Amino acid sequence: QNTKYQIPNTNYQLTIQNLKSKIQNQMTDILVIGTGEYVTGFVRGAAADSDKSAGVIGLVLFDLRSRGKVNQIYLCGRDGKTFPGIRNHFNEKIAQRYQGIDISVNTFPGDDEYNPQAYQTAIEKMKPGDAVIVVTPDDTHFEMAMTAIRHGLHVLVVKPLVKTLEEHQKLIAAGKQQNVLVAIEMHKRYDPMYSDARDRVRSFGDFSYMNSYMSQPRSQLHTFGKWAGKSSDINYYLNSHHIDLLDWMVSDFARPIKVTGLGATGVAKNEFDINTEDTITTTIQWENVKSSNLGISVHTASWIAPKSDVHSQQRFFYMGHQGELQIDQAHRGYTSATVSGGYGSINPLFMKYEPSNGKFAGQAAYGYQSIEKFIDAVAGINKGGRPEDFDNVIATAAKTLQTTAILEAGRISLDNNRSVEINYSDSELLIPESCS
C-alpha cells in the first residue's frame, strides 16, 4: 500500500493482459486427429472398462496447458455426434477428479456432422509452427501426416509412423523441405527400466538374441473392430513397441536383413467375425555390421489374451556377446486387491491416474513424457532450433527407418508365406532402402 510503489491500476491491467497475450502467442496450439481410447478414454460397448479410462493424450495436453506449455487444443474426428459424449467423459473422468484442469477443447466437425475429411479443415485452421498429433488407423497416417507437414506443422504420429518404407521416406523428405519435426510416439522408450536397459546393452558387444512378448485382452477387439484386419494388424499395433526398442538399442551398429512372419488364427474370426491374425510372431535376422556376426530376434504379439492381473503382458529378454538382461514390464512388484476390481498388478509408471492431494500427479509417467518431449522439441524448433537437433531425444522419423522396414517386411511375409529381404545400397550402411 506504500504510495512509493503504487502502479496505476489501468496500466497494470493492460501490462498483465499484454504479457498474457505474448506468452500465449509463444505457446503451441495442438491439433489431435483421432478421438479413440488412447486420446480420450471414451469407449462404448464391451471394452468400456479400458485401462485408459481417462485417456492419455487428451489428459496430458490438458495438464501441459495448465503448466503453460500448450495454448489452444483442438480435437478432430469423423463423427461429430460423439463429441457430447466425449465432453461428458472428460468432465466425469478428468474435471471432477483433478483440481485445476481446464478441459475445454475445440472440435471438428460440428456435433451434428459426419465428415471423414474433417482433418483437412482442422489442419487449415492451424498456423505454421503449430503441432498435430495423429492417432488414427494406421492406413490413414501417411495422408494426414503429409497434409500437416505441407501446411508447416510439426507432426507426432502414434506408432507406427506408416506401414511402408516408401511412405516413411517420403515423410522424411517432406519434413526436411518444410523444416518441421516428424516423430513417432514410442512411449516405451521413456520407461525408466527400458531406457536403462538400452544404455546397459551398449556395453554388451555384438547383438546376439532378443525375444519379446506383448498382449492385450480379446475384449479390445470390440474397440478395434472397425480397423483390425483391414487397416492394420497386431504386429503393427503391439509388436512395433519391442521392435522399435531393439532398433533403438542396436541400430547404430546392427541392421535387420531378413524377416519372417507367422500368424495364428481362429478367435478373431470365430468370435468377432474379424478376418485377421490372433497372434503374430515376427522373426528377424540381424547383422552386426563391423564384425558381420549374425543375431536373431523373435517378437510375438497377441490380442486374444484372457483377462488377467494386467491389461497387457509385456516383457523381453536380450543377449549380447558380453551380457544379457530381461524385463517383465507388466509386473513391477506392485499389486492391489479391491472389492470392486479384484486382484491386479499396477503400473503407475505408464500413466498415474490416482490423484495426489486432489491434483493430477502423472507428470513423471512415461506415457506423459512421450508427449511432453515432443511439445518441448516443437518449442525449441520454433525458437530457432533444427528438427535434427532432436534425433537423439525423441523417436524421429529420420532415426526409425529400420522399424518400418521390419514391420512392412513382416506383413509381406505373412501375405506371401515367405521370408523377406531388407535391402541396403552398401554393405556397411545402416539405413534400409527397400524390402523384397
Side-chain angles (χ1 to χ4, degrees):
Q1 296 296 318
N2 191 319
T3 56
K4 182 178 178 180
Y5 300 106
Q6 281 186 346
I7 302 173
N9 185 58
T10 302
N11 291 337
Y12 175 76
Q13 292 297 331
L14 287 173
T15 300
I16 292 297
Q17 289 173 6
N18 291 338
L19 181 59
K20 285 182 177 179
S21 177
K22 185 175 182 181
I23 290 172
Q24 287 176 345
N25 287 336
Q26 291 177 342
M27 291 190 297
T28 306
D29 287 348
I30 306 292
L31 167 64
V32 182
I33 305 176
T35 61
E37 177 186 35
Y38 196 60
V39 177
T40 67
F42 182 65
V43 179
R44 293 172 292 186
D49 59 345
S50 165
D51 67 323
K52 305 175 187 67
S53 59
V56 175
I57 292 177
L59 174 57
V60 169
L61 291 177
F62 294 147
D63 188 69
L64 286 172
R65 179 165 57 188
S66 73
R67 295 173 57 200
K69 291 193 173 189
V70 168
N71 189 24
Q72 294 291 323
I73 299 171
Y74 299 84
L75 182 59
C76 178
R78 294 180 299 175
D79 188 355
K81 293 178 182 179
T82 65
F83 287 130
I86 288 172
R87 294 187 194 102
N88 289 335
H89 188 79
F90 281 157
N91 181 59
E92 177 186 351
K93 298 295 184 179
I94 299 177
Q96 293 183 24
R97 192 176 192 194
Y98 308 112
Q99 298 173 7
I101 290 187
D102 174 13
I103 60 168
S104 62
V105 61
N106 304 290
T107 54
F108 297 92
D111 286 4
D112 58 349
E113 296 180 51
Y114 178 86
N115 182 6
Q117 303 303 312
Y119 73 91
Q120 295 180 346
T121 302
I123 286 173
E124 290 172 2
K125 295 287 186 181
M126 310 299 287
K127 61 184 183 298
D130 287 339
V132 171
I133 303 177
V134 178
V135 200
T136 58
D138 298 349
D139 60 347
T140 65
H141 288 182
F142 176 74
E143 181 182 349
M144 291 178 178
M146 185 62 80
T147 302
I149 291 168
R150 288 172 175 164
H151 195 68
L153 306 179
H154 304 285
V155 178
L156 179 69
V157 180
V158 172
K159 53 77 195 163
L161 179 65
V162 284
K163 297 183 68 176
T164 68
L165 200 53
E166 180 182 6
E167 289 180 341
H168 194 139
Q169 292 160 340
K170 287 180 178 178
L171 290 183
I172 291 174
K176 287 182 177 179
Q177 184 177 22
Q178 295 292 332
N179 195 39
V180 297
L181 180 63
V182 183
I184 314 172
E185 195 267 332
M186 286 292 191
H187 49 259
K188 292 202 181 302
R189 291 190 178 200
Y190 301 95
D191 182 289
M193 291 185 179
Y194 274 37
S195 60
D196 183 75
R198 191 255 184 176
D199 293 338
R200 288 178 186 272
V201 303
R202 314 292 282 182
S203 64
F204 287 6
D206 276 2
F207 168 63
S208 182
Y209 174 72
M210 179 182 185
N211 70 56
S212 68
Y213 176 73
M214 193 168 178
S215 70
Q216 287 201 335
R218 65 184 63 192
S219 61
Q220 287 290 95
L221 282 171
H222 284 287
T223 305
F224 305 147
K226 290 183 179 180
W227 58 261
K230 304 178 184 73
S231 62
S232 193
D233 57 41
I234 194 60
N235 199 46
Y236 281 103
Y237 184 70
L238 281 189
N239 259 344
S240 55
H241 282 295
H242 286 109
I243 289 171
D244 172 75
L245 177 69
L246 183 57
D247 176 9
W248 187 42
M249 287 175 165
V250 306
S251 63
D252 59 350
F253 63 87
R255 63 186 187 179
I257 57 174
K258 184 168 66 175
V259 177
T260 304
L262 296 172
T265 59
V267 174
K269 179 63 177 175
N270 296 336
E271 294 189 16
F272 301 93
D273 196 27
I274 298 173
N275 189 25
T276 189
E277 296 89 359
D278 300 333
T279 304
I280 292 175
T281 292
T282 300
T283 301
I284 309 164
Q285 182 83 74
W286 294 76
E287 179 186 39
N288 293 276
V289 172
K290 288 185 178 180
S291 65
S292 296
N293 291 326
L294 298 178
I296 311 163
S297 66
V298 182
H299 309 273
T300 299
S302 179
W303 46 16
I304 63 162
K307 184 177 177 62
S308 69
D309 64 318
V310 293
H311 183 80
S312 176
Q313 300 287 347
Q314 37 199 301
R315 53 187 178 265
F316 77 89
F317 170 88
Y318 178 100
M319 181 169 61
H321 285 198
Q322 303 299 321
E324 65 181 43
L325 54 77
Q326 58 185 324
I327 296 175
D328 182 351
Q329 193 189 47
H331 301 94
R332 309 290 183 137
Y334 188 13
T335 62
S336 172
T338 64
V339 172
S340 60
Y343 175 79
S345 294
I346 305 172
N347 180 14
L349 297 181
F350 169 56
M351 279 297 290
K352 175 176 165 50
Y353 289 116
E354 197 66 26
S356 180
N357 298 319
K359 294 186 177 181
F360 175 72
Q363 293 82 5
Y366 59 82
Y368 187 107
Q369 292 180 47
S370 64
I371 307 298
E372 182 179 20
K373 295 290 185 184
F374 171 71
I375 300 300
D376 289 345
V378 167
I381 295 167
N382 288 343
K383 291 177 182 177
R386 304 172 303 168
E388 56 265 34
D389 294 338
F390 299 92
D391 281 346
N392 295 319
V393 178
I394 59 178
T396 62
K399 293 292 186 178
T400 51
L401 280 159
Q402 288 189 1
T403 297
T404 298
I406 292 166
L407 293 171
E408 180 185 8
R411 190 64 254 173
I412 295 172
S413 175
L414 286 164
D415 290 341
N416 296 278
N417 195 29
R418 64 176 177 84
S419 296
V420 176
E421 304 286 338
I422 297 178
N423 306 308
Y424 302 81
S425 62
D426 185 275
S427 61
E428 294 186 359
L429 289 181
L430 294 159
I431 300 174
E433 290 202 340
S434 63
C435 302
S436 62

